[in-house]
Amino acid sequence: MGAAGITGVVTVRPYGSLRDFLPPGRRGLEISVRTDGRAPVRHIAGAAGIPFPEIEAVLLDGEPAGLDAVPAPGSRLALYPSSVHGLLPACPALRPPLGRPPSFILEAGLGGLARILRLLGFHADYRPDGDPALLVEKASSSGSVLLSRDRGLLMRRGVVHGRWVRSGDPREQAIEVAVSLGLAPEIRLFRFCSKCGGEIDCVPKIEIDHLLEPLTREHYDEFWRCRRCGRIYWAGSHLPALKSLLEGISAACRTALTPEPSME
Ligand SMILES: [Zn+2]
């Protein structure tokens, strides 16, 4: 129960990747948020600049709590991201579990990330001119993860699964998303077309032989074709770049598994 009508301050302490939302120079510190005793955890986190979909576990005055719990003025809020959640005892799940492997909806500006996610075998719906309300609705009704560079979009009512994309570089973005959502075991190459997102199938060489450049015809025997746009894939076309990306993802996953040194 909150103490409605009494204003005061809630002390918010974010952990792990949630510190990325604090202003530079404030990393690792607590942040004070004014409350009238009516605001739930999700709004207090938002006032501290932290979109609630990134929060996986909450301790309110040391006790597990949900996003709709109402902190009384004077209370302390500890917020944890997914990488730390498994280390906390008995915290309730804050949202329905994410379907595996997850699918994605991406807002304008994230076309490069969408192409990489498809190459890694994930369904990625890129909506460059999507209305924000529609993006949220579509992500929630399909159980997809909403990926956005706009924190405000992720704080909208109705967002269930979402991640703020921190980097401006598509390769770094893919590593961020893979680490944060534990995608590594689900990566499957040559499943979706990087260009249009259609499913791709193995195709006998003889069927597409006439479309190949001489060197490709000479050096490769395995091919895949997009059911929707007809684009042809072979190991030489994307594999070198993908291999370096996969190495980047496994290196980043190993680093992320190192537990936090300080926990409340
Ligand atoms: Zn295609």
Side-chain angles (χ1 to χ4, degrees):
M1 294 293 284
I6 305 166
T7 61
V9 160
V10 174
T11 307
V12 179
R13 191 178 183 99
Y15 284 87
S17 57
L18 297 184
R19 289 184 192 140
D20 297 346
F21 296 103
L22 297 181
R26 296 288 300 274
R27 304 273 158 90
L29 297 181
E30 296 172 337
I31 193 159
S32 297
V33 173
R34 287 207 74 78
T35 179
D36 60 1
R38 291 191 184 92
V41 168
R42 71 177 74 227
H43 291 168
I44 303 255
I50 302 168
F52 64 85
E54 293 240 352
I55 302 169
E56 291 291 330
V58 175
L59 292 181
L60 176 54
D61 291 326
E63 295 294 323
L67 291 171
D68 295 317
V70 178
S75 53
R76 299 174 56 80
L77 202 53
L79 304 176
Y80 300 92
S82 53
S83 57
V84 182
H85 182 196
L87 305 172
L88 292 175
C91 276
L94 301 183
R95 56 187 63 82
L98 183 60
R100 306 305 307 205
S103 58
F104 298 92
I105 291 189
L106 299 92
E107 63 148 10
L110 295 176
L113 174 59
R115 282 192 292 279
I116 294 179
L117 288 172
R118 289 166 182 162
L119 282 172
L120 296 178
F122 297 93
H123 182 66
D125 187 358
Y126 177 48
R127 303 280 180 127
D129 32 278
D131 166 63
L134 213 65
L135 284 179
V136 170
E137 208 283 311
K138 174 85 183 147
S140 117
S141 65
S142 63
S144 299
V145 182
L146 181 59
L147 297 178
S148 174
R149 293 269 284 156
D150 172 7
R151 287 190 226 187
L153 180 68
L154 294 173
M155 292 182 197
R156 280 180 176 240
R157 180 184 290 275
V159 177
V160 181
H161 299 286
R163 285 292 183 278
W164 182 57
V165 176
R166 286 137 171 91
S167 171
D169 171 65
R171 187 179 179 279
E172 293 301 316
Q173 292 170 345
I175 293 176
E176 269 177 34
V177 173
V179 170
S180 148
L181 293 167
L183 300 185
E186 292 162 330
I187 289 174
R188 212 182 106 205
L189 304 182
F190 301 115
R191 185 167 173 227
F192 292 113
C193 175
S194 65
K195 188 175 158 200
C196 79
E199 283 187 62
I200 66 178
D201 301 313
C202 284
V203 57
K205 190 178 183 181
I206 194 162
E207 274 188 36
I208 46 132
D209 195 61
H210 60 291
L211 301 170
L212 302 175
E213 299 288 337
L215 277 177
T216 309
R217 186 183 298 126
E218 191 181 330
H219 290 288
Y220 296 95
D221 291 310
E222 270 194 305
F223 295 89
W224 293 263
R225 184 170 52 192
C226 174
R227 284 185 203 174
R228 195 186 290 163
C229 77
R231 187 178 195 184
I232 293 168
Y233 292 82
W234 62 95
S237 60
H238 286 91
L239 222 51
L242 277 175
K243 269 193 177 145
S244 121
L245 175 65
L246 294 177
E247 281 158 17
I249 289 175
S250 33
C253 286
R254 281 195 298 275
T255 313
L257 284 176
T258 314
E260 291 262 313
S262 62
M263 303 269 290
E264 276 187 345

